[in-house]
Amino acid sequence: MYNLVAVRVAGWISALGRAGHFLSDVTRSLRDVGTWAGLTAVQMRRIGVQSLPIAVFISIFTGIVLALLSSYSFTGAVPLYFVGTFVGKAMMLELAPVLVGLALAGRVGANIAAELGTMRVTEQVDALETLAYNPHAYLVVPRVVAATSMFPVVVALAMAVGMGAGWIASISLLELSTPDFVKGLRLFYQFKDVWFGLVKAMSFGLVIALIGCHKGLSTRGGAEGVGRETTSAVVLSAEMILVLDAFWAVVLL
Amino acid sequence: MKRRDEIIVGATILVTVVVVIAGAFWLSQTRLGASAAVHNARFQTVGGLGVGSPVVLRGVRVGRVQAIRLGERNWVEAEVQVYEGVVLPARPAVVAASRSLFGEWQADIISLDQAPDDPNVRRDLEAALAEGDDAWPGATLPDIGQLTAQANRIATDITTISSRIQTVFDSQAVGELQGAIRNFTAIADNINRFTQQQTDIMGDVGSNLRQGSDVLADAAQRLQTSLARVDEATEQGELEMILDNTAAASEQVRNALEDLREVVAVARANQASLVRLIQGADTLMTRLQEGTGTLGLLMSDSVLYQEARLAVAQLRELLADIQANPRKYFKFSVF
């Protein structure tokens, strides 16, 4: 029993050490701008632009559900224009960053982990090293920079679309007028609401990309290993999103 | 491919940045290009007022709270941003107040001369004004939480009073109270009846007064007519004649009164003999009524009456016989 626990603890510490080593390599690779800068635009399109449809899809239905749920909860006691307040606050502060982050953890994190894992098990990464390429500057940094910079973009559009969907749902399903919805939307608005959500999204992008790259590059054991590391990357990314969400709530709010 | 990726990514970022900035300005109702003046306001406490809270003048939003910070000597200083072109009161002051029951606050710009009639607000404004610099005086109205706390204290006091009343009022006291209430009800009924009666009387009095007023009005009308006639008579000299006639009539009446006074004096002088006459008549009548005396007997005794009638009849027969046969009764002889 003690041996099992010791092995597990040693495994965690070892994994932590590998992660630290990986972060160190990535940080050093940031100086190799000539390598990663040219590759970043492609990754930004793959990670950011191509993630917009799913982000918009999620935010549309989230906005509708928020409007309906808030009107259901506010019936009688609270003025209905607070639907706008609730939709706006919830979308900007929490739901757009977290739900889009979780969705992109599956889409982007799994994609990165699977792609790099396959490259690792097929020894393409070893080939890059053999050719004197820095695999971190060539493979990791463009993805990390792209995810970190494009996640706020995706989340910002998701916020706007979600609030728009909530507005349409309010005026079409709740018989709430546009001025009332806008009044509620503006009621407790602060610019902090926006940048708080964007900062969270940026951190989510950074973590998802780092985890995906780390899991992918540490893949062992062929296709099975790729699948295992991909799953592990998605799960760990989702967990880290929720941890970071709580962290930012404690630190920034 | 790489160039195309860059364009797509760049466009996406550009659109997002525009959406975020435009949305942020729209939600915060910030007016781009409009310059604004910033004024300092001094509060003892700002309550729920925060950065970004609306600044309103007579209910119209004219700016926003730009900053709030702690000042010297326990004051709170707020920077109030007011849009250009807004005409402010001559002596502006700021009152922080709740906009609704749900925690929204706003800063109302008011004229210091028209401050709310609240002693706390006026005291805060005067204290802030006494600091003497250019900062606007500020005061804070209590929010719903403070009002609720006050209401809670009042409710607690009422509960205490209720419990004490419950302690004091046992069943006997309640019975007595019920009796008192019944008595009071009876008194109220009596008062009601009395009031009704008085109301009726007052109604009658009012009616009489109304009639009297009508009579007076009629009399006034007639007097007015008479005065008009007098006025006319005065013009034709008839009034003087009437006055002369009146004086003559008055003289005649005075003479008649003198005569009447003399008659009364004579009557008063003959009063004793008249009284005696009446007393004698009264005695006579009494005796007649009692059947005493000659006349009384005559009136009351029917036999005497018959005999008197018979005597009279015989006397008439005797007279007739004397007239027919005088020699039978009278004999004249000379010598």
Side-chain angles (χ1 to χ4, degrees), chain B residues 231-252:
Chain B
D231 193 26
E232 290 175 0
T234 305
E235 289 178 355
Q236 298 173 1
E238 293 177 359
L239 183 60
E240 191 174 357
M241 185 176 69
I242 292 170
L243 288 174
D244 292 341
N245 295 337
T246 305
S250 175
E251 185 62 28
Q252 291 174 2

Side-chain angles (χ1 to χ4, degrees), chain A residues 38 41-42 44-45 49 52 77-79 81-82 150 153 156-157 160 182 185-191 194 198, chain B residues 1-2 4-6 8-9 12-13 15-16 19-20 23-29 51-52 99-100 102-105:
Chain A
V42 178
M44 288 171 81
R45 184 184 177 192
V49 178
L52 283 176
V78 181
Y81 61 80
F82 271 85
M150 289 305 288
V153 173
L157 290 176
V182 172
L185 203 58
R186 288 173 168 169
L187 200 55
F188 295 108
Y189 167 77
Q190 295 176 330
F191 185 63
V194 177
L198 298 182
Chain B
M1 185 67 181
K2 183 181 172 186
R4 190 179 170 207
D5 291 337
E6 290 173 349
I8 291 173
V9 171
T12 304
I13 293 174
V15 168
T16 305
V19 167
V20 169
F25 280 121
W26 178 68
L27 286 175
S28 63
Q29 296 179 280
V51 174
R99 291 173 67 190
S100 71
F102 302 99
E104 313 153 63
W105 280 69

Side-chain angles (χ1 to χ4, degrees), chain B residues 44-308:
Chain B
Q44 290 187 340
T45 172
V46 291
L49 201 66
V51 174
S53 295
V55 176
V56 298
L57 175 64
R58 296 194 295 277
V60 179
R61 177 173 178 144
V62 295
R64 60 193 290 272
V65 175
Q66 187 169 285
I68 294 176
R69 57 181 173 272
L70 292 174
E72 296 178 352
R73 293 197 292 277
N74 293 328
W75 290 102
V76 179
E77 293 176 354
E79 288 184 6
V80 177
Q81 187 185 56
V82 180
Y83 301 143
E84 191 181 28
V86 175
V87 179
L88 296 170
R91 300 177 65 202
V94 182
V95 174
S98 295
R99 291 173 67 190
S100 71
L101 297 176
F102 302 99
E104 313 153 63
W105 280 69
Q106 66 182 18
D108 279 304
I109 297 177
I110 61 169
S111 172
L112 194 59
D113 303 324
Q114 298 173 345
D117 190 17
D118 183 327
N120 294 327
V121 171
R122 288 186 179 274
R123 189 185 62 231
D124 289 351
L125 292 176
E126 289 169 1
L129 197 62
E131 289 293 310
D133 55 11
D134 292 337
W136 292 351
T140 305
L141 292 178
D143 64 357
I144 187 64
Q146 293 171 294
L147 295 176
T148 306
Q150 190 66 28
N152 188 32
R153 284 195 290 273
I154 293 171
T156 305
D157 294 342
I158 290 174
T159 303
T160 305
I161 292 170
S162 300
S163 62
R164 289 178 182 173
I165 288 174
Q166 191 172 5
T167 304
V168 169
F169 276 80
D170 54 5
S171 59
Q172 183 181 357
V174 170
E176 291 173 354
L177 184 62
Q178 288 176 343
I181 290 172
R182 280 195 292 273
N183 293 336
F184 184 76
T185 304
I187 291 170
D189 290 340
N190 291 335
I191 290 173
N192 189 24
R193 276 197 299 277
F194 177 74
T195 304
Q196 188 63 40
Q197 291 170 358
Q198 293 304 314
T199 302
D200 295 341
I201 291 170
M202 290 301 289
D204 293 341
V205 170
S207 177
N208 293 337
L209 280 175
R210 197 177 299 113
Q211 291 175 0
S213 175
D214 293 341
V215 170
L216 281 175
D218 190 30
Q221 183 69 30
R222 290 180 182 178
L223 178 61
Q224 194 172 5
T225 306
S226 300
L227 287 175
R229 288 179 181 174
V230 166
D231 193 26
E232 290 175 0
T234 305
E235 289 178 355
Q236 298 173 1
E238 293 177 359
L239 183 60
E240 191 174 357
M241 185 176 69
I242 292 170
L243 288 174
D244 292 341
N245 295 337
T246 305
S250 175
E251 185 62 28
Q252 291 174 2
V253 169
R254 193 176 298 117
N255 293 334
L257 284 174
E258 285 296 328
D259 294 342
L260 185 60
R261 193 174 294 116
E262 290 175 1
V263 170
V264 169
V266 170
R268 189 173 296 129
N270 295 327
Q271 186 177 6
S273 58
L274 188 62
V275 169
R276 285 195 299 274
L277 178 63
I278 292 171
Q279 287 177 343
D282 185 55
T283 306
L284 178 62
M285 294 303 291
T286 303
R287 295 183 66 185
L288 282 174
Q289 195 170 7
E290 292 174 350
T292 58
T294 307
L295 284 175
L297 289 172
L298 188 62
M299 288 175 66
S300 58
D301 192 348
S302 60
V303 177
L304 186 59
Y305 173 72
Q306 292 297 333
E307 287 180 352

Side-chain angles (χ1 to χ4, degrees), chain A:
Chain A
M1 181 65 182
Y2 289 115
N3 288 338
L4 184 60
V5 172
V7 168
R8 283 291 177 90
V9 170
W12 290 338
I13 292 173
S14 175
L16 203 59
R18 285 198 300 274
H21 186 63
F22 171 75
L23 282 176
S24 173
D25 290 341
V26 172
T27 305
R28 278 201 304 273
S29 302
L30 283 172
R31 289 178 292 190
D32 193 2
V33 180
T35 302
W36 60 263
L39 301 169
T40 305
V42 178
Q43 296 301 325
M44 288 171 81
R45 184 184 177 192
R46 289 175 60 191
I47 293 173
V49 178
Q50 291 181 358
S51 296
L52 283 176
I54 188 168
V56 168
F57 181 83
I58 290 171
S59 58
I60 284 175
F61 287 95
T62 303
I64 293 172
V65 171
L66 276 179
L68 296 177
L69 283 179
S70 56
S71 71
Y72 172 76
S73 304
F74 293 162
T75 301
V78 181
L80 205 55
Y81 61 80
F82 271 85
V83 169
T85 308
F86 185 70
V87 170
K89 285 284 184 184
M91 287 302 296
M92 286 188 282
L93 290 174
E94 183 67 16
L95 290 182
V98 172
L99 290 184
V100 170
L102 289 173
L104 296 193
R107 182 184 181 278
V108 174
N111 178 278
I112 292 173
E115 185 179 10
L116 296 189
T118 303
M119 290 176 73
R120 169 61 78 186
V121 298
T122 55
E123 298 180 347
Q124 293 178 55
V125 176
D126 298 331
L128 285 173
E129 290 175 343
T130 304
L131 293 172
Y133 276 100
N134 180 355
H136 293 95
Y138 193 80
L139 297 174
V140 176
V141 175
R143 288 170 172 79
V144 170
V145 171
T148 306
S149 58
M150 289 305 288
F151 261 53
V153 173
V154 176
V155 168
L157 290 176
M159 288 178 186
V161 171
M163 287 188 285
W167 165 61
I168 292 172
S170 298
I171 62 175
S172 59
L173 299 176
L174 304 178
E175 298 180 355
L176 184 66
S177 66
T178 297
D180 278 346
F181 183 85
V182 172
K183 176 186 175 184
L185 203 58
R186 288 173 168 169
L187 200 55
F188 295 108
Y189 167 77
Q190 295 176 330
F191 185 63
K192 182 182 181 182
D193 300 342
V194 177
W195 67 252
F196 177 76
L198 298 182
V199 166
K200 284 206 300 188
M202 194 180 291
S203 67
F204 294 163
L206 175 66
V207 167
I208 289 171
L210 284 174
I211 291 173
C213 291
H214 177 59
K215 291 292 180 182
L217 291 179
S218 59
T219 302
R220 298 285 184 273
E224 184 184 352
V226 172
R228 185 175 59 247
E229 294 301 328
T230 301
T231 304
S232 173
V234 172
V235 171
L236 188 58
S237 296
E239 291 171 352
M240 286 306 296
I241 283 174
L242 298 178
V243 171
L244 279 174
D245 187 37
F247 170 76
W248 288 124
V250 171
V251 172
L252 291 182
L253 286 183

